[in-house]
């Protein structure tokens, strides 16, 4: 078990059975048996860990520094001209930063070598206030959602920017746009190539960007979305009925169709998934399911924040200020 100083903020990521931990003092890699493999020291007062595939990026939000890592260690450090408000890393190691400039906002994109690749200014009067963004796996499309206010109505202005060869000469780079009235699109996420989901408080909205952005499906939410996990086969949603305070776990496929809806006996604290299983975290208990069947459950002596499979029956259990690796044999 490893414990952290009280009030220390840290993030944990697991990749290929190894553990990666970021904090204000740096980033380190630890094997599942506890061996410290490497440690990169730096100071990032507002360190936030982003990960995609084999790449991890530690970003100092409201600062100007970002550090990109792979399994071998530090690949590059990027120092931006202006303060970073929001950041993203994709599966190719490309880093996207939303910066607050002297005149508004700007999007800067860097490749995995830390080389400057593209930029675009955001004009508040035309675009709105940016609140969510994601770069496609190939780095050729950036989805960014803005909030606009029109006669007291709060709307989402979703813009798709192209960074492929065909858009290099276009200063605006806009390849598609949509206004979503009375929607607060808080997150946008790419999946399976150039497909994207927008997460709002009312719905999940599915887009196909293969031949230009097109709306393909909508899954309406009749309860409050409290958490979600995207897997290879579908999306797991944690929903709360605010009238009865009952929790539900819903699974939908990538065509927006519901394939499972389960009322939970105990309020859900969180949940996770791996390639074939999912894990429900409730008060002082963790349950593992495979194809809808409960494989095992275990009681805990304190609240659990997260569980991540390390492979070969080993799991990382994360608590509010510590973590431990345990062996749990599947029955």
């Amino acid at each position: 078990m490893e414990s952290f100083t009280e009030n220390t903020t840290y993030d944990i990521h697991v990749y290929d059975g190894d553990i990666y931990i970021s904090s204000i003092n740096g980033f380190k890699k630890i094997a599942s048996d506890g061996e410290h493999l490497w440690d990169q020291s730096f100071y990032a007062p507002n360190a936030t860990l982003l990960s995609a595939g084999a790449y991890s990026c530690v970003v100092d939000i409201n600062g100007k520094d970002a550090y990109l890592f792979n399994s071998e260690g530090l690949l590059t450090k990027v120092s931006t001209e202006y303060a970073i408000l929001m950041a993203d890393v994709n599966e190719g190691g490309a880093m996207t930063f939303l910066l607050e400039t002297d005149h508004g906002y700007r999007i800067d994109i860097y490749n995995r070598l830390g080389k400057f690749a593209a930029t675009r200014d955001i004009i508040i009067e035309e675009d709105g206030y940016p609140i969510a963004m994601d770069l496609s796996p190939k780095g050729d499309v950036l989805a960014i959602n803005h909030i606009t206010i029109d006669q007291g109505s709060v709307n989402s202005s979703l813009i798709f920017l192209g960074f492929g060869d065909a858009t290099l000469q276009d200063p605006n780079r806009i390849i598609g746009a949509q206004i979503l009235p009375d929607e607060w699109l808080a997150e946008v996420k790419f999946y399976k190539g150039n497909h994207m989901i927008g997460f709002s408080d009312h719905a999940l909205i599915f887009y196909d960007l293969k031949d230009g952005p097109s709306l393909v499906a909508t899954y309406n939410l009749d309860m409050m979305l409290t958490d979600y996990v995207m897997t290879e086969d579908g999306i797991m949603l944690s929903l709360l009925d605010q009238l009865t305070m009952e929790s539900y776990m819903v699974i939908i496929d990538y065509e927006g169709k519901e394939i499972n809806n389960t009322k939970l006996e105990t309020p859900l604290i969180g949940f996770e998934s791996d390639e074939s299983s999912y894990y429900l975290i409730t008060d002082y208990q963790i349950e593992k399911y495979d194809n809808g069947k409960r494989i095992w459950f275990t009681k805990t002596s304190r609240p659990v924040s997260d569980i991540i499979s390390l492979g070969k029956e080993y799991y990382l259990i994360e608590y509010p200020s510590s973590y431990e690796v345990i062996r749990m044999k599947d029955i």
Side-chain angles (χ1 to χ4, degrees):
M1 175 181 290
E2 180 167 350
S3 298
F4 300 93
T5 305
E6 189 174 356
N7 299 324
T8 295
T9 300
Y10 69 96
D11 289 317
I12 292 181
H13 171 60
V14 169
Y15 180 75
D16 199 23
D18 293 315
I19 304 164
Y20 298 82
I21 302 176
S22 72
S23 69
I24 65 173
N25 296 314
F27 192 57
K28 59 186 176 181
K29 177 181 178 180
I30 302 173
S32 58
D33 61 4
E35 178 187 1
H36 284 241
L37 301 175
W38 49 255
D39 193 331
Q40 178 70 48
S41 296
F42 52 78
Y43 180 62
N46 296 295
T48 296
L49 176 61
L50 308 170
S51 59
Y55 295 97
S56 296
C57 186
V58 181
V59 183
D60 186 16
I61 298 297
N62 295 322
K64 297 181 179 181
D65 295 328
Y67 306 83
L68 182 69
F69 297 84
N70 65 6
S71 61
E72 301 299 318
L74 180 66
L75 285 177
T76 187
K77 174 186 176 183
V78 170
S79 294
T80 58
E81 182 180 1
Y82 297 100
I84 302 169
L85 298 184
M86 192 187 310
D88 178 65
V89 63
N90 76 353
E91 295 172 5
M95 297 165 283
T96 306
F97 304 107
L98 172 66
L99 309 176
E100 184 174 20
T101 70
D102 296 333
H103 307 288
Y105 301 95
R106 189 175 83 196
I107 296 287
D108 282 355
I109 300 177
Y110 292 78
N111 65 21
R112 62 183 175 83
L113 302 177
K115 302 297 183 182
F116 183 77
T119 189
R120 184 185 186 273
D121 288 321
I122 293 175
I123 302 173
I124 298 298
E125 293 76 13
E126 297 178 7
D127 299 322
Y129 294 90
I131 64 166
M133 66 180 184
D134 196 28
L135 186 66
S136 66
K138 292 184 178 179
D140 56 340
V141 179
L142 176 70
I144 180 166
N145 186 50
H146 311 75
I147 291 298
T148 63
I149 300 176
D150 182 17
Q151 298 181 348
S153 176
V154 177
N155 307 315
S156 284
S157 174
L158 182 59
I159 297 176
F160 298 94
L161 305 176
F163 293 97
D165 294 339
T167 61
L168 288 179
Q169 303 304 318
D170 180 5
N172 291 320
R173 300 184 182 273
I174 297 176
I175 60 173
Q178 184 180 20
I179 298 295
L180 303 172
D182 300 316
E183 290 284 3
W184 185 281
L185 212 61
E187 290 192 57
V188 291
K189 294 290 183 183
F190 278 93
Y191 68 97
K192 295 186 177 181
N194 278 2
H195 294 81
M196 195 210 77
I197 303 177
F199 293 84
S200 84
D201 51 349
H202 297 125
L204 274 63
I205 307 171
F206 297 75
Y207 293 88
D208 185 346
L209 284 78
K210 182 179 180 181
D211 299 315
S214 61
L215 176 65
V216 295
T218 298
Y219 178 82
N220 294 316
L221 297 170
D222 56 4
M223 291 180 282
M224 184 175 71
L225 177 64
T226 59
D227 200 0
Y228 72 90
V229 173
M230 297 175 65
T231 72
E232 284 294 320
D233 300 321
I235 311 159
M236 297 173 55
L237 308 175
S238 171
L239 302 176
L240 176 66
D241 187 326
Q242 294 178 285
L243 292 178
T244 64
M245 298 308 292
E246 294 174 331
S247 294
Y248 292 79
M249 188 198 68
V250 175
I251 302 176
I252 62 174
D253 63 20
Y254 284 107
E255 295 180 352
K257 298 177 181 178
E258 186 175 297
I259 56 179
N260 182 277
N261 189 321
T262 303
K263 178 182 174 182
L264 302 176
E265 298 295 330
T266 308
L268 197 63
I269 304 300
F271 64 120
E272 271 299 342
S273 71
D274 51 36
E275 292 182 355
S276 61
S277 307
Y278 61 87
Y279 308 86
L280 303 184
I281 304 171
T282 58
D283 282 338
Y284 300 96
Q285 182 167 300
I286 304 170
E287 304 177 36
K288 178 178 180 178
Y289 287 80
D290 194 349
N291 295 322
K293 178 182 179 182
R294 190 167 77 171
I295 306 301
W296 52 252
F297 76 94
T298 182
K299 298 286 187 179
T300 62
S301 60
R302 50 198 157 144
V304 174
S305 303
D306 204 358
I307 178 172
I308 307 173
S309 173
L310 298 173
K312 298 180 180 179
E313 302 174 356
Y314 287 90
Y315 297 86
L316 182 145
I317 309 296
E318 187 177 349
Y319 306 105
S321 60
S322 64
Y323 76 89
E324 65 177 334
V325 175
I326 65 171
R327 184 182 183 186
M328 184 70 67
K329 184 174 178 60
D330 296 343
I331 300 173

